[in-house]
Amino acid sequence: MSNIAITDLNVTRDVDNVPRPVVALGATSVTKDWEHARHQHHKAQLLYSVRGILNCEIEDGVWIVPPQCAIWIPGNLPHSACGSGETECYCLFVEPDAAPDLPKTCCTISVSPLLRELLLKVSGVPELYALGGREERLIATLLDELAAAPVEDLHLPMPRDPRLRRLAEMLLADPTDKTSKGDWAIRLGMSERNMSRLLLHEIGMSFGRWRRQLHVILALQRLTKGESVQTVALELGYENASGFVTMFRKAVGKPPARYLSDRTMDTEPATIPGIIITEQISL
């Protein structure tokens, strides 16, 4: 496999017809914005970000993929993807039954150093690699590591109910809005109890947790553009950086500076472009 342009990662290559359980593609140093319209393929897809943050959307939500993370997209699931500025990623297409215990749902996973090296190694395997040989065993090891990779909670679920979609649209437009859950319910023509019940049913989150998750995603968008923690905290409506850092640590397990440094330690020390969320979500 050779390095290819990011636009070639679309299904135009007809990866489903390649008579192998795994097809690996790679792209390096794409310096302009790119976007793939909604599409689907029978093979599941792993999209691994080496540099830059990727954004993937399905009907039920938005996933972000920071450096050294990957997104797993099950087969036959309609999805779109985009990246801003300079990105570098690798792509793996996998038959759904290629290995046991692979994820069954869309998720963002953390890529360990071993899994990273396996992905880079497999990206050099010929498309029609020999079955039963060294290359197939290498791919089997990669799939074992993939099945064991920890999932990261970098997902913003999106409700389908039109009233809740309107709520999502308004919060995306103004994330600093501190309107209470009860007042939001009144604005949407619902009781607070019914709104809470419907949110839990549709996205599996309370209103407070959903809004915090939104803030994490928007914060990563701004922080990876080089904005300071203080600036991002104020832009998201926090009174000070301390409150924002506490929220971020509770959501992802690390403070913002530590999280980003861990994600960029294997990339060049350049500013990593952010993602664009509000322009990619059809509400």
Side-chain angles (χ1 to χ4, degrees), residues 6 30 32-39 47 49 51-57 62-65 71 73 79-87 89 273-281:
I6 192 72
V30 180
K32 63 180 181 179
D33 295 353
W34 58 268
E35 178 179 358
H36 291 162
R38 187 171 294 261
H39 64 283
L47 192 59
S49 172
R51 178 182 292 108
I53 291 187
L54 312 179
N55 176 27
C56 181
E57 180 186 350
V62 175
W63 276 259
I64 61 170
V65 189
I71 184 168
I73 307 167
H79 59 279
S80 60
C82 68
S84 299
E86 185 178 359
T87 57
C89 60
I275 56 174
I276 299 175
I277 290 182
T278 53
E279 295 181 4
Q280 300 300 327
I281 300 176

Side-chain angles (χ1 to χ4, degrees), residues 171 174-179 207-220 222-223 228-252 256:
L171 285 175
D174 184 12
T176 65
D177 194 318
K178 295 183 179 180
T179 300
F207 173 75
R209 183 183 171 194
W210 189 91
R211 181 151 59 178
R212 287 193 297 271
Q213 192 79 347
L214 169 65
H215 283 182
V216 168
I217 287 180
L218 294 178
L220 284 172
R222 290 165 169 79
L223 290 169
S228 69
V229 170
Q230 177 73 24
T231 298
V232 172
L234 296 177
E235 286 183 354
L236 292 178
Y238 293 83
E239 294 182 0
N240 52 56
S242 177
F244 165 73
V245 170
T246 298
M247 178 280 299
F248 194 97
R249 183 189 290 113
K250 287 181 178 180
V252 304

